[in-house]
Structures are given as structure tokens and as C-alpha cells.
Amino acid sequence: MLNELNSGSFQKLKKAENYSLLVNKKSHLSSLIDNLEKLRNQHNELVADERASEVYSVIGKVEGKKLDRQQLVAISKEVHTHLVLAGAGTGKTTTIVGLVKYLLGINKYSSDEILVLSFTNASASEMKERLDKETGVSIEASTFHKLGMNIISDVNGIKPKISQLNQRQFIKQQLESLMHDRDYLRVLNAYLMRRQFMIRSEFDFKTLQEYQEHLKKNPPVTLKQEAVKSYGEMEIANFLYLNGVEYIYEQPYKIDTRTKEFGQYKPDFYLPKYDIYIEYFGIDKNGNPPAFFQNDYIASMKWKRELHKANNTTMIESYAYENFEGILTSDLEKKLLENAVALTPLSQEEIWKKVSEDDANVIDGLVQLIETVINLMKSNRYDIAEMRRRNASSFNLIDISYLLDVISPIWDSYNEHLSMNDEIDFNDMINIASDYVRDGRYKSNYKMVIVDEYQDISRARYELLKALRDKYDYDLFCVGDDWQSIYRFAGSDIGYIQNFSKYWGASEISRIETTYRFPQRLIDITSGFIMRNPMQLSKNIRGISSAEKYVLGEVQGYTDKYAVQFMLNKMDELPYRSTVFLIGRYSFDNKMLEDNLELSYKYDNRNSLTKVIYSKRDDLDISYITAHKSKGLQADYVFILNNKNGRMGFPSKIQDSPVLDLLLENSDPFPDAEERRLFYVAMTRAKKKVILVTLKDRGSDFLRELHDKYAEEMKQEAYICPLCGGKLKHRTGRFGEFFGCENYKTTGCRYTRNIRKKNVN
């Protein structure tokens, strides 16, 4: 219509009696359209304010606090399906308590029609305690496991027999027992030699820069600790080493080949005992290299072949396509035997010693991966045969096949144990409960279901919720943070929150973004870090404090022992009675603390963390905890350990096994996606400052990323007074050199840090 008014036809109306009025109407309409979005936003803001006021008039303060506007607006929306994205420390549990209080206050539901679901016994117990106290009535707050048990018990008239087996300990015992079988050890060795690296084909990359960046992060290093140029060369070198064939990597060819066009030829491998050369060519079955390889790659191959022919030297050729088809070493073996090369294989025991000698925690890391796979298989109702079927078209077919061979007997033993003892595990319990609901054998009275920590939901838990909703339609209110989705090892799938409407239909999405935990500068750094992954949902997290400026620091040493000592030096500077978290990627990361005589430990069973006592600062409340267990907790200062580049560093290279792509419907393709979220969780435990502990020249990918962006800021934080935030200035006094606080004269701050002597506060 407006286009018609803007056209020439409008000019035809000039002689109309009310033309001037029409012109004014047209101008007004154009103005409305131009400002439509602004007017809509203004209207929505007014409505939101009205709704927030209405909610507050019903509930007042919640747990002694007035909820912020976003929290009140989220509570006010009476919709069938609602997801609230809540940032770290934004008061999501308080929001849930406020919602229940509001629903009861307006008499929309009775207390027995509301179900609140959480993921751990501790969080469910805390939720119920807070809900009951605030509302004055009994609200059912349960775990998914308890809900599943109640459904089965209601249908069968008897509680199911739940296995009390320590799954991780069982897997470790099975693995150690199976390793006495030589055939099993052979498969285990084959897997471990490949899983040490995120092996990808040359053809998986679009540009040379991408390929080189991947090799930089996951450098191909042989069992002899040689750095080679490709994973194919690594496979060849390891095969030769394991079969007792002496080789020299990139030995100059016996003839001087230097010309204007070519430099000295250095074949990939030379076998001195047999005067044989081996070349690995990065080509596919059609003889083509990746598009980003140099234009003269084919010409170089031709030149090498002609050179060997002209000088009557033997060259054995291997190819990239053989590597990603899994036949590289078997074809190489045939070619070596045809050229009378004697193979004297190491025993599997010798190979095991070699593949595990540089990694004392190799078994623990593998056990955690197997536990993850078993839980996801149970959750998805897959068996080994289904996994092999799914793997048939995988780009990582060989690696995953080896891992499935490793897992298969453990999987069988685990299920046999459950069957023999007439037991089910937690995954079975939720799956059985879902079946009972679908079959109509269970009757539900819930009209409102609230899910806390929704980002942790697994396929099995989703299917249970879906079955209940399909049979007994209810209002759904979910609160979660995709930035903190870190329980993939237990079956959680981030896609259920990132693609919420795909699974639940038309949905309202709200956000609560004001954090009450940490300063704005730490928010900026951590938010920027997590949003490097474009799959994460955007949030505008805001802090209530902007006073802290230098919130990110680093300590490094040449060895773990020195790194820990420098970390303690940093602790010497912390304010009196500060709370401190030492956060590790793995439970065994605390081993790096054991050699320091100034530290002692005691385990806190109630809170599932290790209390650390530092003899020089017994006023500090120090705890060691893993990144996973730190979620939901906070401390003034956080030291993140194990920021080392390696298989068991942070990020962990083991936990990104390609087998998980077969198990997670919504696998995140961004590199180290889950590890990035876990690191974000670790950083956001700090209320004041995060300090990264690492080894010199062995910093992890995450540390290098943060250092590249915030190097100057991390350097400056060393010259900030930990007591008052003032600057520390270099001075010389009668007792030697020191740094003193510039606020000494204005505020009386007496903080000093000696340079040549131990720190003094």
C-alpha cells in the first residue's frame, strides 16, 4: 500500500478535495513504518515493566532478595514451553524459586501439580529445601533417576534393583585383567598409538593454513620422539620401529641433486642396512594431492621417481589414501618383504611399555573415555553391533574400530554383571520408565514441569520428558546455560538446549544476564573466550562490579615442581583469609602438588573436595577440585592447573575422541568445544582473579589463545597491589629492592613485595 502511495499514481490525487490531509496521513504512516521496530521495542519494554511489577506484587522478595527485571519478566511469561538462558552466577535457582512462588500465589497450580527436576541428589535436595522454605508448602524436587524409579515402582509395585557398582573402578579392573591377553593387548596398543593424536587426513582441510595449524596443535611425533611432517610419516616410522627395522628420517640422498630448480633431495626414510628409500606421497587414489599443496607436487613426485630409476636405487612408495583407508602399514609390510627386509616385531609387552612410558595416567584417561562411551551407548540404546554399523562410513573408521575392539569385551562383562545380579543401572532405569509411560502403564498428575540445569540433559532424559508430555501435556519451564554444558561423559547432549525449539516446538526464549559473582572485566574475558565457538548461544552477561581491572594472571616454571613453587609465591600475596580453588582437569592433577613440603591435604567427604593447607598461609581457605566438580561453586581466587599442551592437558586431547560423533546427535564440530566450555566453567569460579599455571614453552592451546589476546594485561597484573588495587612501584630501601604500593601515603596501604627476599605483607 505504501509503495502505491509513493508511486506516480499518488500524484493523480492532487485535485482531490482532502489532498493535503492525505499528504499528512501518508507522512505519518511513513514515520510509523520507519520507526516500527523502535515503537515495538518501546511497547514491549513497557509491557515487560508492567509484568515485572505484577510479579513483584505477588511474590515480593525471594529468599530475602529482590529479583532483577529480567528474572521477574521471565517469571511473568505464561507460555506453554519456555527456555531461560541463564549465565554463570545470574541467580537461576532463585529464579526457579520465584517462579514456583508466583504460580502458587496466583493459584495457577497446586503444589502437587508441580515437579522440579535436577540432575544430582545434592542439587535436588537443596532445591527442595529452598522451595519448601520460601513457599511454606512441600514441593516435589527430584532427580531424573528418582523420577524413573518412582515410575517403575508405581507400575511394578516394587522398587527396581539398582546396581551399586562403581562403574569407573569396574572398567579399570576389566581393562587391567584383559591386558594379560596378548591379542587384546595388541589391539589396545594399536589404538593407543593412534589415539595420541587427533589424526586427520591431508584431504580433510581446505587450506594450507588450516592443515598447518592442525599439525601445530597436534604435532605428529613418533615413538622415537621424532617430529615428522605428517601423520602418514608417523605411521610408517612407528611401524619400522615396532618391527625392528633401522631407519634414518630425511637422510640426504647419496647423490648431490642440487640444481637451479631443486635443492638437495632428502627422502622421507632411508633403511641403511638394505640401502632402501621410502617415500610417503600425499595423494588420493586418482593420484591427486590436496588442492592446497604446491602446484609442482606432481612434478616433484615424477622427479623423485626418475632420480631413483636413473641411479638404480630402490624406492618404496606409500600413499595418503592408504593411511585413511587403514591399509598403509599392511601394504608397507608386503612391499618390505618383497624387498627382503627382515621384520623382527617387538613383543606386545614391549610395545605397551613404549606407548605408555611417557604417560603415567594413560589407563585413567582411557577408563574415563570408555565410561563415557558405555553411558552414551546405554542412553541411546545402542550395542556394539550398532556402533560398528554407524562407524562403517566414518572418516575415522580405523581409530574407532580399534577403540570398539577395546571396549567390546568390557561392554559384554558390564551387561553380564547387571544380568547375573538382576540389576539395572541409571540409564536402564530412565529408558524403562519411558517405555512404561509410552505404554500407558503410568499415570501422571503433573501440570507444570521445571527443569534445572537443562544443558545437561541426555537423550534418555529427553525421551522420558517427551513421553510424559506426549501422554499428559504439561507446561515446560527449563533453565540452563549452554556455555556450561560439560557432562558429555555422562551422556548429556548440548544440542537439546542449542536447538530447543526443534525438540519442543514453538518456544519462548528468555535470558537472565546479570551476574552477582564476578567483575565485569572477567566477564568480558570469559565471554569472549567461550564465544570463539559460533555454535554457543549469545548472551550479554553484565556484572555488578567494575572495580577489578587485572583479573587474569599466569605463573610458569620449567617443571611442575617450579610451577607449584611460583604458584605458592603468588599465594603469599593474596589478601588475608581469601578463599582459593586449585582447579585441575583431572582428579590426578593434584599429584603435581605432592612434592612440595609446604603443602598438606585432607579430604572433605561432605563437599567432595580436597582441603589444602599451605604452611606459610594457614589463613587461606584452599581447596583442590576438578573443573567438573567445581561447577556451581566459587572462590575469591582460582588457580587452574595443568595448562600444558598434551594428551592429558587442558584441553584434553583424549576426550575429543571421534567415537563420540557416532553417539551424540548434535555433536559440536568446533575444535575442543566441550573442553572450551569446561575451561570457561573453571575460570568463572573466580570472584576476583584467575591465575593459569603452566610449564614454560609447553603452554596449552587455551593458554596461548588467552596470552595472545591479553599478554600485556597479564603482565601488568603482576604490578597491582592485591590488597587495594593500587599500582606497585619499584623502590630501593635499606633491606634491598622491593615493590611498594603507591597508596601508602593516601590510604596507608603497607603492602610490599620483596624482590630478593621472600614476600612480606
Side-chain angles (χ1 to χ4, degrees):
M1 179 66 182
L2 186 65
N3 289 335
E4 292 180 11
L5 291 176
N6 285 329
S7 68
S9 62
F10 185 73
Q11 300 298 320
K12 297 177 182 179
L13 302 174
K14 275 191 173 183
K15 295 181 180 180
E17 183 178 347
N18 295 315
Y19 178 73
S20 59
L21 179 62
L22 185 61
V23 170
N24 291 334
K25 293 286 186 181
K26 172 181 174 287
S27 176
H28 178 65
L29 180 60
S30 296
S31 176
L32 286 176
I33 292 173
D34 290 341
N35 293 284
L36 184 60
E37 184 175 356
K38 179 180 178 181
L39 292 170
R40 183 187 65 193
N41 290 338
Q42 288 176 344
H43 172 77
N44 289 344
E45 289 294 304
L46 288 172
V47 171
D49 285 338
E50 289 175 4
R51 288 183 172 180
S53 297
E54 289 172 6
V55 171
Y56 184 71
S57 69
V58 174
I59 65 175
K61 291 184 177 180
V62 177
E63 300 183 310
K65 302 172 187 174
K66 182 176 180 179
L67 301 189
D68 65 38
R69 183 175 179 273
Q70 283 187 314
Q71 291 173 302
L72 292 169
V73 170
I75 290 171
S76 75
K77 296 177 180 179
E78 296 186 30
V79 291
H80 190 46
T81 309
H82 195 176
L83 170 64
V84 177
L85 294 171
T90 56
K92 62 179 182 57
T93 304
T94 307
T95 303
I96 290 174
V97 174
L99 171 67
V100 174
K101 187 177 181 181
Y102 176 70
L103 295 174
L104 295 173
I106 62 173
N107 297 313
K108 185 168 186 180
Y109 304 111
S110 59
S111 59
D112 61 346
E113 293 174 331
I114 299 173
L115 171 65
V116 182
L117 290 170
S118 193
F119 286 82
T120 67
N121 289 324
S123 61
S125 296
E126 180 190 353
M127 180 71 75
K128 178 168 179 55
E129 182 180 341
R130 291 170 66 173
L131 284 167
D132 291 358
K133 181 178 180 181
E134 185 68 22
T135 64
V137 296
S138 179
I139 301 295
E140 184 172 354
S142 166
T143 64
F144 279 86
H145 294 144
K146 185 180 178 184
L147 174 62
M149 177 179 283
N150 290 344
I151 291 173
I152 295 172
S153 301
D154 184 74
V155 172
N156 294 337
I158 187 173
K159 288 186 180 296
K161 191 176 179 183
I162 306 300
S163 174
Q164 300 301 311
L165 183 71
N166 184 314
Q167 194 180 58
R168 186 169 297 185
Q169 186 177 349
F170 177 84
I171 292 169
K172 186 172 184 178
Q173 289 171 347
Q174 289 292 312
L175 185 61
E176 290 173 341
S177 176
L178 286 163
M179 286 171 61
H180 294 295
D181 182 292
R182 188 158 297 177
D183 289 337
Y184 185 85
L185 187 59
R186 176 183 56 77
V187 175
L188 178 61
N189 286 335
Y191 168 70
L192 289 175
M193 280 189 289
R194 292 180 65 89
R195 75 97 175 113
Q196 298 179 47
F197 309 91
M198 296 298 290
I199 297 176
R200 294 174 64 187
S201 162
E202 294 89 332
F203 292 86
D204 291 341
F205 302 90
K206 295 180 180 179
T207 67
L208 179 62
Q209 182 180 358
E210 284 181 9
Y211 180 53
Q212 290 176 336
E213 182 65 23
H214 180 77
L215 291 178
K216 180 181 177 182
K217 289 185 176 181
N218 303 277
V221 179
T222 71
L223 292 173
K224 290 172 62 175
Q225 298 304 304
E226 300 165 305
V228 292
K229 295 177 180 175
S230 69
Y231 298 120
E233 290 181 352
M234 181 189 73
E235 289 287 305
I236 292 170
N238 288 344
F239 177 83
L240 295 173
Y241 172 79
L242 294 173
N243 285 278
V245 180
E246 180 187 357
Y247 69 86
I248 303 173
Y249 182 64
E250 293 194 332
Q251 166 87 348
Y253 190 55
K254 60 177 63 179
I255 295 170
D256 191 344
T257 62
R258 293 174 296 166
T259 65
K260 286 184 178 181
E261 185 177 5
F262 295 102
Q264 177 59 42
Y265 173 39
K266 295 180 179 179
D268 294 333
F269 300 95
Y270 176 60
L271 312 185
K273 184 176 179 180
Y274 303 97
D275 194 27
I276 291 176
Y277 298 90
I278 302 175
E279 278 287 358
Y280 174 77
F281 292 130
I283 58 174
D284 61 20
K285 270 192 170 181
N286 297 318
N288 299 315
F292 59 80
F293 271 30
Q294 296 177 357
N295 295 331
D296 59 356
Y297 191 81
I298 298 297
S300 175
M301 289 173 55
K302 182 179 178 182
W303 174 73
K304 291 175 182 177
R305 287 166 173 162
E306 291 174 349
L307 189 64
H308 283 284
K309 185 175 181 180
N311 293 286
N312 199 30
T313 51
T314 302
M315 177 178 69
I316 293 175
E317 297 185 16
S318 293
Y319 312 104
Y321 73 83
E322 293 176 319
N323 194 29
F324 55 74
E325 287 184 2
I327 59 173
L328 176 64
T329 55
S330 59
D331 278 11
L332 177 61
E333 180 177 5
K334 294 175 185 176
K335 296 167 187 174
L336 291 172
L337 293 175
E338 288 170 359
N339 285 275
V341 175
L343 304 180
T344 54
L346 297 179
S347 70
Q348 293 303 322
E349 289 75 15
E350 290 173 315
I351 296 174
W352 164 253
K353 184 177 180 181
K354 187 65 183 176
V355 298
S356 62
E357 67 180 356
D358 295 324
D359 190 351
N361 302 309
V362 62
I363 290 291
D364 290 322
L366 181 57
V367 166
Q368 290 187 33
L369 177 59
I370 294 173
E371 181 184 34
T372 297
V373 173
I374 287 178
N375 279 318
L376 285 169
M377 286 175 64
K378 297 280 281 187
S379 177
N380 293 357
R381 306 192 192 207
Y382 295 166
D383 56 18
I384 293 293
E386 173 64 14
M387 292 294 292
R388 294 195 192 281
R389 187 189 69 77
R390 289 174 168 269
N391 187 41
S393 58
S394 169
F395 287 115
N396 299 282
L397 186 148
I398 303 303
D399 299 353
I400 295 175
S401 292
Y402 281 136
L403 179 58
L404 292 177
D405 288 342
V406 170
I407 293 174
S408 182
I410 300 174
W411 167 264
D412 291 341
S413 296
Y414 177 67
N415 287 301
E416 184 180 344
H417 173 88
L418 295 178
S419 178
M420 288 178 60
N421 291 280
D422 192 27
E423 296 176 341
I424 59 174
D425 64 14
F426 288 128
N427 288 299
D428 294 325
M429 185 164 63
I430 292 177
N431 287 336
I432 293 169
S434 298
D435 292 340
Y436 285 174
V437 172
R438 289 192 192 94
D439 294 343
R441 301 171 67 182
Y442 173 76
K443 173 69 175 175
S444 171
N445 295 316
Y446 301 121
K447 295 182 180 179
M448 166 58 101
V449 175
I450 300 169
V451 184
D452 188 20
E453 303 285 8
Y454 180 78
Q455 75 279 350
D456 294 334
I457 198 164
S458 65
R459 177 173 174 177
R461 293 183 178 104
Y462 164 76
E463 293 292 348
L464 177 56
L465 284 178
K466 184 72 165 52
L468 282 166
R469 203 178 205 202
D470 289 343
K471 283 286 184 180
Y472 313 102
D473 197 19
Y474 54 77
D475 288 341
L476 178 65
F477 185 95
C478 300
V479 184
D481 181 6
D482 66 302
W483 292 8
Q484 298 187 77
S485 177
I486 60 171
Y487 291 108
R488 183 170 60 176
F489 71 89
S492 66
D493 190 334
I494 192 173
Y496 288 111
I497 187 171
Q498 290 183 333
N499 305 300
F500 188 81
S501 298
K502 171 185 173 183
Y503 294 98
W504 294 110
S507 307
E508 177 72 16
I509 310 295
S510 301
R511 285 170 168 78
I512 50 178
E513 299 165 308
T514 302
T515 181
Y516 302 88
R517 178 181 296 160
F518 41 87
Q520 187 62 47
R521 185 55 188 153
L522 189 55
I523 292 172
D524 295 340
I525 291 172
T526 54
S527 296
F529 175 80
I530 194 67
M531 284 306 298
R532 282 289 302 275
N533 181 354
M535 294 291 291
Q536 303 292 166
L537 302 174
S538 63
K539 303 182 195 72
N540 181 28
I541 308 298
R542 301 176 295 273
I544 58 173
S545 168
S546 58
E548 302 284 349
K549 294 181 179 180
Y550 300 100
V551 296
L552 185 64
E554 174 190 7
V555 294
Q556 59 176 260
Y558 286 100
T559 65
D560 283 344
K561 183 176 181 179
Y562 281 108
V564 170
Q565 186 55 55
F566 296 149
M567 179 182 75
L568 296 182
N569 292 346
K570 200 81 169 176
M571 283 190 197
D572 289 340
E573 304 171 6
L574 299 183
Y576 184 66
R577 297 181 70 86
S578 295
T579 55
V580 180
F581 277 168
L582 309 181
I583 298 182
R585 171 60 185 83
Y586 294 100
S587 57
F588 46 74
D589 284 342
N590 62 359
K591 291 180 181 178
M592 66 184 291
L593 308 173
E594 291 177 354
D595 291 335
N596 194 293
L597 298 178
E598 295 177 313
L599 298 174
S600 58
Y601 318 90
K602 61 180 180 181
Y603 190 72
D604 181 351
N605 287 298
R606 181 179 180 183
N607 297 304
S608 298
L609 47 77
T610 301
K611 302 300 292 185
V612 180
I613 297 93
Y614 175 30
S615 60
K616 288 175 61 178
R617 290 294 305 273
D618 57 7
D619 62 295
L620 298 177
D621 181 359
I622 309 172
S623 301
Y624 173 82
I625 196 168
T626 64
H628 281 104
K629 290 186 176 179
S630 73
K631 188 173 178 300
L633 305 177
Q634 57 187 357
D636 296 326
Y637 298 89
V638 164
F639 292 82
I640 302 179
L641 311 179
N642 197 8
N643 294 284
K644 296 180 284 191
N645 189 30
R647 298 187 299 274
M648 307 292 284
F650 204 168
S652 165
K653 303 299 183 183
I654 288 179
Q655 301 306 318
D656 260 354
S657 171
V659 72
L660 299 178
D661 294 337
L662 307 182
L663 290 156
L664 295 170
E665 184 178 349
N666 305 282
S667 184
D668 190 338
F670 194 77
D672 299 319
E674 175 102 349
E675 292 293 302
R676 181 175 292 272
R677 291 190 290 270
L678 185 59
F679 199 79
Y680 169 81
V681 167
M683 287 195 292
T684 54
R685 299 311 94 197
K687 293 193 287 186
K688 294 183 178 179
K689 185 173 291 187
V690 178
I691 298 98
L692 309 178
V693 182
T694 188
L695 297 185
K696 188 170 179 60
D697 300 324
R698 284 188 57 192
S700 69
D701 296 342
F702 290 164
L703 184 138
R704 289 199 302 269
E705 178 182 321
L706 290 166
H707 198 273
D708 288 347
K709 193 168 184 179
Y710 305 108
E712 189 60 33
E713 191 169 327
M714 293 168 74
K715 180 180 178 182
Q716 286 296 321
E717 69 89 25
Y719 303 101
I720 298 299
C721 176
L723 297 183
C724 70
K727 290 183 179 179
L728 297 181
K729 292 189 174 182
H730 178 260
R731 297 175 184 170
T732 303
R734 51 188 296 202
F735 298 108
E737 297 178 72
F738 65 96
F739 285 103
C741 180
E742 68 175 359
N743 290 336
Y744 172 69
K745 292 183 179 179
T746 56
T747 66
C749 181
R750 302 178 61 85
Y751 178 82
T752 61
R753 183 170 75 221
N754 285 5
I755 299 175
R756 295 186 176 176
K757 295 184 178 182
K758 68 179 182 180
N759 299 328
V760 177
N761 282 334

